[in-house]
Amino acid sequence: MKRGKFISFEGGEGCGKTTQIARLKAELEARGESVVVVREPGGTRLSELIRTLLKDEEDDPPCDRAELLLFLAARAQLVRNVISPALDDGRWVLSDRFSDSTFAYQGYGRGLPLDFLREANSFACEGLSPDLTLLLEVPPGVSASRMRSREARTASSADRIERAGDGFHSRVREGFASLAKAEPGRIVRVDASGTPDEVASLIRALVFA
Ligand code: Z5A
């Protein structure tokens, strides 16, 4: 059995990952492929419970180290129970965020040491890394206006990490750019500021090259 292909989607808030994952899934299925979509944190019962803890708005938010360990615990469970078995079965896995989010948010954003993060993350993932990572990039103004319009449409509000401040989010953006520079063979930057159709066609060209 040929091993499946693992693609992660990364980027700052509101860059359009969820929208593009749905489009790529439909395109792959139209080509006869079997596709599993997961989101991080989440995707198993335990990982979804951890997601709730991470998003909790109560008065005892996780400290930076607890936050990191919760993201890694959610990932360990998802890799072991969902991602690795799907890849072994020859299925495609599209993941809404993966390890690079930890490096960008907890490493560059929170300032936790990157060498430790890499080692702990590799332990959590049993060494698994995406075959391809699509880094969706939009200027900060575009991301803010997409988030505002979604909040208005769904009557939702920004969560704990989204409210971490401009300085935090600009360190995260720079972190993603540094990660892409360091691993150009795996992480591909995608201009995600166009219409959903325009971005989908850029992604199609990369995935089916
Ligand atoms: N996090 C972390 O710190 N460490 C980790 O290890 C991991 C995660 C794994 C998860 O949040 C948070 O956890 C995240 C990083 C952190 N926090 N932040 N900030 P989440 O899962 O709730 O949300 P998200 O991953 O940040 O994604 P999102 O906000 O849901 O956005 P998206 O999936 O990238 O975008 P979208 O839902 O497809 O689109 C957003 C809106 O824009 C929506 O209304 C769309 O209709 C619209 N949209 C999408 N594409 C377009 C285009 N092309 N044009 C116009 N409008 C568009």
Side-chain angles (χ1 to χ4, degrees):
M1 164 87 60
K2 200 170 138 227
R3 192 170 162 79
K5 196 157 179 185
F6 180 22
I7 303 182
S8 62
F9 286 69
E10 298 281 6
E13 50 177 2
C15 62
K17 294 176 278 80
T18 312
T19 304
Q20 293 304 325
I21 286 172
R23 285 170 179 248
L24 181 58
K25 176 177 191 281
E27 175 79 33
L28 284 165
E29 287 177 341
R31 293 171 184 239
E33 300 291 348
S34 173
V35 184
V36 174
V37 170
V38 292
R39 68 171 178 180
E40 277 232 82
T44 75
R45 200 182 86 83
L46 177 66
S47 310
E48 289 292 332
L49 288 170
I50 293 173
R51 181 183 180 90
T52 309
L53 294 176
L54 281 161
K55 296 224 165 203
D56 192 15
E57 299 294 320
E58 296 303 320
D59 56 6
D60 184 23
C63 66
D64 293 353
R65 290 173 187 215
E67 181 183 83
L68 166 69
L69 295 170
L70 286 167
F71 277 118
L72 294 183
R75 182 165 307 137
Q77 191 76 0
L78 181 68
V79 166
R80 173 59 72 101
N81 288 356
V82 180
I83 298 181
S84 290
L87 294 172
D88 289 344
D89 279 353
R91 307 176 78 187
W92 288 65
V93 175
L94 308 182
S95 186
D96 196 333
R97 301 194 179 280
F98 199 66
S99 306
D100 297 300
S101 280
T102 304
F103 305 143
Y105 283 84
Q106 280 64 53
Y108 289 88
R110 300 283 192 224
L112 295 177
L114 277 168
D115 286 349
F116 172 73
L117 262 57
R118 286 188 193 286
E119 201 170 326
N121 180 66
S122 174
F123 176 77
C125 299
E126 304 181 51
L128 180 72
S129 173
D131 299 303
L132 171 69
T133 295
L134 298 168
L135 174 59
L136 272 51
E137 295 184 308
V138 289
V142 172
S143 148
S145 89
R146 285 186 192 173
M147 295 304 283
R148 271 196 306 275
S149 71
R150 184 173 65 184
E151 282 166 28
R153 209 176 57 246
T154 59
S156 58
S157 57
D159 66 29
R160 189 178 62 81
I161 298 177
E162 286 162 357
R163 283 190 274 100
D166 291 347
F168 174 81
H169 287 289
S170 85
R171 288 195 300 280
V172 168
R173 244 190 326 277
E174 285 159 20
F176 273 128
S178 303
L179 293 167
K181 207 166 163 195
E183 268 191 89
R186 173 177 65 87
I187 307 180
V188 181
R189 300 172 80 159
V190 177
D191 176 0
S193 56
T195 65
D197 282 347
E198 286 167 346
V199 182
S201 99
L202 293 175
I203 289 177
R204 212 178 305 118
L206 289 166
V207 172
F208 302 109

